[in-house]
Amino acid sequence: MKKYLFIALLPFIFLGCAQQSSVLNLSPYNSTSNSLGFAKQVQINSVVDNRQNKSVVATITNSKGDVSEYITLQNDISVWLKDGLEKEISRLGGQVVSFSSDIIVDVEIVWLKANLSGYSTDNLKGEAKVVLTIRRGDQTITKNVAQTQTKFAPIHTGGAFNKFIDELLSDIVKRAAVQILKS
């Protein structure tokens, strides 16, 4: 009888020790920038996600550094970033077109990662980086746009990343759009 009870409880023991996973859904990008009067046409040729681990964007770790929860994205980050850049470029006064233009841009997502660990100040840390390859006529310019953010999160759940990742990516979009239009 004890043998059968142990076998019946075994799956619950393993489930209790398993790592958790949360899914994060990014809000649609909403630009709040004022027009800077850039009168340039921009073609966003491609947005490519070259992160090593495309499924995980954040982790929650314990005091030993062991991962207790993985945070994944429901959205396709490439589509979200392209949509955000189109909105921001338009808001800044540029015009996004789908054919030959003043500026042709290729965007590479190099990294997007965040971690929540401990209870000290700034226990929530994140960083994102994109590389812009901008072509104007015969000239090619490569620009790195990176953003690092920290914040205090009192509760260690996947929900701590909701607004944090949105803000991190929104800052990247704003900075990238300005770099594209200034080129």
Side-chain angles (χ1 to χ4, degrees), residues 45-57:
N45 189 46
S46 67
V47 179
V48 179
D49 186 358
N50 283 335
R51 295 177 296 141
Q52 286 183 349
N53 186 347
K54 292 176 178 57
S55 61
V56 176
V57 293

Side-chain angles (χ1 to χ4, degrees), residues 38-45 89 94-97 99-106 133-137 139 141 177-183:
F38 290 108
K40 296 181 180 179
Q41 291 185 336
V42 177
Q43 176 187 350
I44 300 175
N45 189 46
I89 288 168
Q95 182 182 7
V96 179
V97 294
F99 52 87
S100 181
S101 61
D102 298 335
I103 301 170
I104 300 172
V105 181
D106 291 299
T133 304
I134 304 164
R135 290 187 303 277
R136 290 185 62 190
Q139 185 181 25
I141 304 166
V178 169
Q179 292 297 317
I180 291 167
L181 290 169
K182 282 186 173 180
S183 296

Side-chain angles (χ1 to χ4, degrees), residues 77-98:
I77 189 69
S78 299
V79 173
W80 188 93
L81 188 62
K82 183 176 182 180
D83 179 61
L85 283 171
E86 289 174 351
K87 288 177 181 176
E88 189 66 22
I89 288 168
S90 296
R91 182 79 180 215
L92 292 172
Q95 182 182 7
V96 179
V97 294
S98 59

Side-chain angles (χ1 to χ4, degrees), residues 13-77:
I13 292 170
F14 285 115
L15 287 175
C17 297
Q19 294 169 336
Q20 296 180 356
S21 181
S22 296
V23 178
L24 179 68
N25 187 17
L26 296 173
S27 303
Y29 181 79
N30 185 20
S31 176
T32 57
S33 300
N34 296 323
S35 178
L36 298 178
F38 290 108
K40 296 181 180 179
Q41 291 185 336
V42 177
Q43 176 187 350
I44 300 175
N45 189 46
S46 67
V47 179
V48 179
D49 186 358
N50 283 335
R51 295 177 296 141
Q52 286 183 349
N53 186 347
K54 292 176 178 57
S55 61
V56 176
V57 293
T59 55
I60 298 175
T61 55
N62 62 21
S63 60
K64 296 176 186 174
D66 298 326
V67 176
S68 59
E69 187 171 350
Y70 290 98
I71 314 304
T72 59
L73 273 182
Q74 180 176 358
N75 312 65
D76 180 342
I77 189 69

Side-chain angles (χ1 to χ4, degrees), residues 120-133:
S120 63
T121 58
D122 296 340
N123 61 347
L124 179 57
K125 299 175 182 174
E127 55 185 342
K129 179 180 177 182
V130 296
V131 175
L132 307 172
T133 304

